[in-house]
């Protein structure tokens, strides 16, 4: 605990209005206040000579008012010149209370802080902070640098600073440091209290740049403890989950699963067999499965989902399969229908475009227990879908389950908690996965199904665009299909859509014998689907697309992809896009067309893409080149709710986090609880199943 009462309301001078404002900054507890790090520092520890000032810096100065006047110009303003003997400085006020002009009289000694600007013939400060002091009274200068925080309307820096002061004080009185030197990655790091003091009240000689960039040991110390607390929450959650007997034992489906395996048009790979048995073992337990299946694009995750569904159904339960988009849901519906209907399993297709009557009949069949599998988008499942006996939920192309999603599903399943299988094509390096998915069991499909053509990747300068066009013509003449991906040019979807339209028109002129389609983010869902469906049916030969092309869409005949301006994309996106080709048996190619000159990082990326098609290798290289930000995307890291730590910057801490977490969980459960309570606060409900 930081203090006997860690709620903001308990602080002196904090009323309901301030609490609201603090909430806007995501500050809910005293701990949050301490984790709200300064965005810059101001030096009010020493007075500067006016003669030494230069425009652009922020400085503390003192001087006597030489004269002051209200200037009537285009805008009325109060001008006030001060002098400290070394030089003169003008203070300028545009908006000021009426009394101010009277008060700032000649002879008065002022201390001012503000940004120095070049004025007319002299330096000036516009709207400086100022106060009246006695000349030469330097005792009252700050001893530490002054922090400036991100704030919100109505919440002044002074208020924030004084709240942080109180929080520091309470922490000094009541806060405990739970981590001794043996639990830290480096010796010589400050204790927690000291770390907070160094961050919020740094001494004048502190390397503030290191503080702001998070390299300073004080910030590292806090980031480490935050990561540790998050990791502990996830691990404790998993331990509790495994100990709970709230899920149905689904061990009666081996017969149906076996039938499915026998009727599949292919043999399962060794990796698929292994993952299938991992899933089967989980489902046979009375504690809910929470498994993440990672498998590169095309590694064959759908069949794993189908087998899991068969096991649920064979055990007398139902399964739900969710996809992020309507298009993917439909693809699953087609695939699963072709595999499961022959085994006399009824499927309920909760299509967004189906008629009300069709929807109603699908829902009835689910509620009555006739349908064994429900398929739809995530959004559809948030509506009033009722199950007879839901035992398994499969979530495609999503990294992790949101807490709300989990709770909603639990409700749908009634008194039991369904087993959950989440599938993602985004490969995540191991250390990272172990830290951020510590609440999940992870399975890996690390083998490509046989009979796939390799994807050959080349990087070509846009100067050779004509050759690329000829290459497309050749492929289309052979009856193949191709993608032309337009990468983001502008931050605006509108302009990008426009650019894609123009490219499509241009290509239509250059390849006038070909059928060209277009898909971009500004099209209505139905239009997009129509274009995708036509492409899948072979009616469109060349599909011009922005980077919106759906994850997971499978058009086996598409064997050529051009990525225009490939240097603009990160490795994760390039890899995902390239995964759209190479799904059939013919050899495929990916042309990375770049506009030079290339930066060192872009060059490295294109090289990695040429060298390998293995998503995990690419993820590792990406991590080396520029940290995990890209592969994880801000949404996923944001989900974790980290305030100080940054997975990319602080990846070196992760090994120790895992090791120490393991030790604490077995040896010091009281410390685990204390850390979780301190840092996770509100969110800790998540940790209690
Ligand atoms: P993803 O992991 O990207 O979701 P899919 O499940 O869509 O991959 O599988 C991609 C393609 O590979 C599908 O056409 C699927 O039927 C096929 N496939 C899956 N497993 C095998 C296998 N063991 N042998 C041959 N083809 C397979
Ligand atoms: Mg898939």
């Amino acid at each position: 605990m930081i203090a006997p009462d860690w709620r903001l309301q308990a602080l002196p001078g904090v009323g309901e209005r301030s609490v609201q404002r603090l909430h806007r900054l995501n500050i809910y507890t005293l701990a949050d206040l301490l984790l709200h790090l300064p965005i810059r520092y101001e030096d009010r520890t020493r007075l500067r000579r006016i003669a030494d000032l230069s425009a652009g810096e922020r400085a503390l100065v003192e001087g006597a008012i030489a004269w002051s006047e209200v200037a009537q110009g285009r805008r009325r303003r109060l001008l006030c010149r001060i002098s400290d003997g070394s030089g003169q400085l003008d203070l300028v006020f545009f908006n000021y209370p009426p009394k101010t002009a009277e008060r700032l009289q000649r002879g008065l000694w002022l201390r001012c802080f503000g940004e120095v600007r070049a004025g007319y013939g002299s330096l000036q400060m516009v709207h400086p902070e100022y106060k009246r002091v006695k000349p030469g009274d330097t005792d009252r200068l700050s001893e530490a640098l002054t922090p400036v925080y991100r704030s919100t309307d109505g919440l002044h820096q002074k208020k924030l600073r004084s709240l942080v002061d109180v929080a520091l004080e309470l922490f000094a009185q009541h806060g405990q440091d739970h981590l001794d030197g043996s639990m830290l990655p480096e010796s010589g790091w400050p204790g927690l209290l000291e770390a907070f003091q160094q961050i919020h009240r740094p001494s004048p000689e502190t390397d503030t740049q290191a503080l702001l960039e998070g390299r300073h040991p004080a910030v590292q110390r806090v980031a480490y403890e935050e990561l540790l607390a998050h990791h502990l929450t996830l691990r404790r959650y998993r331990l509790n989950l495994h100990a709970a007997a709230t899920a149905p034992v689904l061990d009666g489906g081996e017969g149906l699963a076996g039938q499915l395996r026998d009727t599949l048009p292919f043999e399962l790979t060794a990796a698929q067999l292994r993952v299938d048995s991992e899933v089967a073992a989980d489902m046979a337990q009375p504690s809910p499965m929470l498994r993440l299946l990672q498998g590169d694009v095309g590694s064959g995750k759908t069949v794993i989902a189908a087998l899991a569904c068969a096991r649920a159904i064979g055990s007398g339960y139902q399964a739900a399969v969710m996809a992020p988009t309507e298009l993917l849901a439909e693809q699953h519906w087609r695939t699963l229908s072709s595999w499961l209907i022959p085994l006399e399993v009824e499927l309920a297709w909760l299509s967004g475009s189906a008629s009300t009557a069709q929807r109603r009949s699908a829902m009835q069949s689910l509620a009555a227990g006739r349908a064994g599998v429900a398929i739809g988008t995530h959004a559809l499942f948030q509506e009033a879908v009722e199950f007879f006996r839901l035992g398994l939920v499969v979530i495609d192309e999503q990294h992790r389950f949101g807490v709300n999603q989990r709770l909603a599903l639990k409700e749908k399943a009634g008194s039991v908690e369904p087993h959950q299988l989440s599938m993602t094509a985004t490969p995540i390096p191991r250390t990272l996965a172990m830290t951020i998915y510590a609440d999940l069991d992870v399975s890996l499909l690390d083998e490509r199904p046989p009979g796939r053509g390799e994807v050959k990747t080349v990087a070509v300068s846009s100067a050779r665009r004509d050759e690329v066009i000829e290459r497309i013509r050749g492929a289309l003449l052979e009856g193949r299909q191709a993608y032309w991906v337009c990468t983001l040019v502008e931050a605006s979807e509108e302009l990008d859509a426009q650019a894609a339209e123009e490219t499509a028109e241009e290509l239509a002129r250059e390849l006038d014998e070909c059928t060209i389609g277009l898909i971009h983010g500004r099209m209505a869902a139905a239009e997009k689907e129509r274009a995708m469906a036509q492409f899948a049916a072979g009616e469109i030969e060349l599909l011009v697309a922005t980077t919106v092309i759906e994850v997971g869409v499978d058009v086996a005949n598409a064997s050529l992809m051009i990525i225009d301006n490939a240097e603009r994309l990160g490795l994760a996106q390039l890899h995902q896009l390239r995964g759209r080709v190479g799904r059939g048996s013919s050899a495929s190619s990916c042309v990375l067309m770049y506009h030079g000159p290339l930066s060192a990082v872009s060059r490295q990326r294109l090289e990695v893409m040429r060298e390998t098609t293995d998503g995990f290798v690419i993820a590792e290289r990406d991590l080396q080149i520029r940290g995990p930000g890209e592969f994880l995307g801000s949404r996923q890291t944001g989900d974790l709710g980290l305030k100080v730590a940054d997975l990319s910057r602080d990846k070196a801490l992760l090994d120790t986090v895992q090791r120490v977490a393991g030790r604490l969980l077995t040896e010091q459960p009281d410390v685990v609880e204390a850390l979780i309570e301190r840092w996770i606060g509100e969110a800790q409900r998540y940790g209690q199943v």
Side-chain angles (χ1 to χ4, degrees):
M1 240 193 296
I2 284 186
D5 190 341
W6 50 265
R7 288 170 314 125
L8 297 171
Q9 282 88 342
L11 293 173
V14 176
E16 207 37 52
R17 286 251 295 283
S18 306
V19 169
Q20 294 300 329
R21 288 176 182 141
L22 288 163
H23 285 184
R24 262 186 262 150
L25 296 173
N26 269 327
I27 298 175
Y28 292 89
T29 66
L30 278 188
D32 292 338
L33 209 45
L34 293 175
L35 294 177
H36 192 64
L37 304 199
I39 48 174
R40 59 189 167 81
Y41 297 93
E42 290 173 350
D43 189 352
R44 298 162 192 235
T45 62
R46 61 200 171 108
L47 285 172
R48 303 279 309 280
R49 275 160 40 95
I50 290 179
D52 296 340
L53 297 180
S54 48
E57 62 180 332
R58 300 172 68 84
L60 189 72
V61 294
E62 278 186 12
I65 298 183
W67 50 257
S68 74
E69 66 174 28
V70 175
Q72 308 281 357
R74 247 182 321 132
R75 267 177 92 190
R76 207 167 78 103
R77 61 194 194 279
L78 173 62
L79 281 176
C80 186
R81 173 162 294 180
I82 61 167
S83 160
D84 67 350
S86 80
Q88 295 186 326
L89 178 75
D90 289 345
L91 313 180
V92 186
F93 302 87
F94 290 103
N95 299 307
Y96 50 91
K99 283 261 163 60
T100 309
E102 282 166 43
R103 238 184 251 139
L104 293 183
Q105 287 301 326
R106 185 187 153 88
L108 206 66
W109 190 263
L110 291 185
R111 178 176 295 168
C112 310
F113 184 86
E115 186 185 331
V116 180
R117 297 191 195 170
Y120 300 103
S122 67
L123 291 175
Q124 53 177 228
M125 279 185 187
V126 178
H127 288 180
E129 292 169 38
Y130 67 92
K131 66 180 172 191
R132 201 182 151 173
V133 291
K134 287 209 197 86
D137 177 8
T138 49
D139 317 343
R140 259 173 272 179
L141 287 177
S142 337
E143 280 167 20
L145 298 177
T146 308
V148 178
Y149 300 98
R150 186 167 58 80
S151 190
T152 177
D153 276 352
L155 191 62
H156 298 292
Q157 290 295 328
K158 269 193 186 146
K159 178 89 176 184
L160 265 175
R161 276 174 210 144
S162 76
L163 290 177
V164 171
D165 273 335
V166 177
L168 283 171
E169 187 55 35
L170 286 170
F171 192 94
Q173 282 170 24
H174 307 277
Q176 258 185 301
D177 204 333
H178 298 293
L179 304 179
D180 60 43
S182 74
M183 299 175 189
L184 300 176
E186 280 184 46
S187 58
W189 273 8
L192 194 56
L193 174 63
E194 209 188 327
F196 278 128
Q197 283 165 339
Q198 288 178 12
I199 290 169
H200 292 286
R201 303 286 172 266
S203 64
E205 54 282 354
T206 309
D207 180 353
T208 51
Q209 208 49 39
L211 279 178
L212 295 173
E213 287 168 10
R215 294 179 275 115
H216 194 283
V219 182
Q220 286 285 293
R221 170 69 180 82
V222 174
Y224 170 75
E225 186 156 333
E226 189 189 25
L227 284 170
L228 183 63
H230 274 266
H231 185 65
L232 284 169
T233 312
L234 297 176
R235 294 221 354 209
R236 186 183 66 173
Y237 174 75
R238 182 159 67 161
L239 287 172
N240 290 348
L241 194 74
H242 284 324
T246 49
V249 172
L250 304 181
D251 61 355
E254 190 44 48
L256 198 60
Q259 270 178 283
L260 174 55
R261 269 196 309 267
D262 292 343
T263 52
L264 283 173
F266 47 75
E267 292 283 315
L268 294 184
T269 62
Q272 283 169 323
L273 286 170
R274 187 191 68 235
V275 172
D276 177 47
S277 63
E278 285 166 357
V279 171
D282 280 2
M283 289 173 63
Q285 295 298 316
S287 59
M289 164 169 77
L290 204 56
R291 187 166 283 278
L292 177 74
L293 170 53
Q294 282 194 54
D296 216 341
V297 279
S299 60
K301 295 185 287 295
T302 318
V303 68
I304 303 293
L307 286 164
C309 289
R311 289 179 201 288
I313 297 161
S315 312
Y317 279 79
Q318 292 169 302
V321 178
M322 303 185 191
T325 65
E326 185 78 16
L327 201 70
L328 265 187
E330 190 180 338
Q331 186 173 299
H332 282 322
W333 174 65
R334 275 199 239 107
T335 309
L336 295 180
S337 295
S338 74
W339 289 342
L340 293 172
I341 290 178
L343 306 182
E344 285 165 15
V345 172
E346 191 180 323
L347 289 87
W349 164 224
L350 301 169
S351 164
S353 49
S355 70
T356 322
Q358 282 170 319
R359 285 274 288 283
R360 190 174 308 133
S361 115
M363 307 247 265
Q364 276 167 356
S365 137
L366 275 177
R370 286 193 307 277
V373 185
I375 299 163
T377 60
H378 301 249
L380 278 172
F381 280 94
Q382 265 140 38
E383 290 173 22
V385 182
E386 250 186 76
F387 288 87
F388 177 66
R389 280 218 298 181
L390 179 62
L392 170 74
V393 175
V394 179
I395 305 181
D396 195 19
E397 299 301 353
Q398 199 178 5
H399 297 282
R400 52 191 303 120
F401 316 95
V403 182
N404 295 335
Q405 209 171 22
R406 278 181 44 75
L407 295 176
L409 285 168
K410 203 166 166 175
E411 272 164 29
K412 290 208 189 296
S415 58
V416 301
E417 184 161 12
H419 295 279
Q420 294 184 40
L421 177 65
S422 179
M423 310 196 292
T424 175
T426 305
I428 290 151
R430 205 177 114 82
T431 342
L432 222 59
M434 282 174 69
T435 313
I436 64 177
Y437 296 143
D439 54 338
L440 307 175
D441 294 296
V442 179
S443 288
L444 215 58
L445 268 187
D446 49 5
E447 185 182 351
R448 274 164 70 86
R452 294 294 173 72
E454 277 297 303
V455 182
K456 190 169 158 23
T457 302
V458 291
V460 168
S461 155
S462 62
R464 289 165 59 195
R465 190 171 182 280
D466 289 348
E467 288 168 44
V468 173
I469 301 282
E470 286 318 307
R471 186 157 180 177
I472 299 176
R473 199 191 306 278
L476 301 192
L477 277 176
E478 283 173 27
R480 301 276 169 64
Q481 290 168 277
Y483 293 96
W484 182 290
V485 182
C486 304
T487 50
L488 294 178
V489 184
E490 306 280 344
S492 130
E493 229 183 33
E494 186 73 53
L495 291 174
D496 278 321
Q498 216 177 317
E501 272 166 22
E502 281 164 22
T503 306
E505 282 167 24
E506 206 177 315
L507 288 169
R509 279 195 300 275
E510 288 164 315
L511 295 161
D512 57 359
E513 70 280 23
C514 308
T515 339
I516 294 184
L518 175 66
I519 191 164
H520 62 64
R522 297 291 288 190
M523 286 162 55
E527 264 183 287
K528 273 196 269 190
E529 262 161 50
R530 187 147 18 105
M532 263 334 286
Q534 285 177 324
F535 189 58
E539 292 158 22
I540 290 176
E541 294 171 289
L542 173 65
L543 185 64
V544 178
T546 53
T547 46
V548 303
I549 336 178
E550 314 278 349
V551 186
V553 167
D554 200 1
V555 178
N557 191 43
S559 61
L560 174 61
M561 171 173 283
I562 317 298
I563 304 181
D564 197 3
N565 290 305
E567 77 281 2
R568 292 208 181 105
L569 297 183
L571 276 172
Q573 236 182 337
L574 287 170
H575 177 66
Q576 285 293 339
L577 284 170
R578 184 172 59 181
R580 306 293 116 242
V581 291
R583 301 180 76 99
S585 54
S586 58
S588 299
S589 358
C590 178
V591 178
L592 306 171
M593 201 158 77
Y594 62 85
H595 293 241
L598 289 176
S599 70
V601 168
S602 304
R603 185 178 302 278
Q604 258 178 306
R605 283 200 205 118
L606 298 186
E607 243 156 56
V608 172
M609 290 298 292
R610 283 208 324 252
E611 277 162 21
T612 178
T613 51
D614 182 327
F616 284 90
V617 174
I618 293 178
E620 292 288 353
R621 291 298 311 275
D622 199 29
L623 197 65
Q624 287 162 7
I625 297 177
R626 50 164 290 171
E630 263 191 37
F631 259 83
L632 288 172
S634 59
R635 210 184 69 224
Q636 284 79 28
T637 40
D639 275 357
L640 287 178
L642 295 172
K643 292 182 179 227
V644 174
D646 174 329
L647 288 171
S648 163
R649 183 191 69 200
D650 303 328
K651 56 182 187 279
L653 304 179
L654 298 179
D655 277 339
T656 318
V657 165
Q658 277 175 45
R659 189 166 43 75
V660 171
R663 203 170 105 199
L664 289 174
L665 281 164
T666 48
E667 292 168 17
Q668 289 173 278
D670 50 324
V671 170
V672 172
E673 295 309 311
L675 287 173
I676 290 176
E677 185 184 328
R678 177 188 287 168
W679 300 120
I680 315 298
E682 274 292 283
Q684 70 167 327
R685 271 189 308 123
Y686 181 37
Q688 293 159 352
V689 185

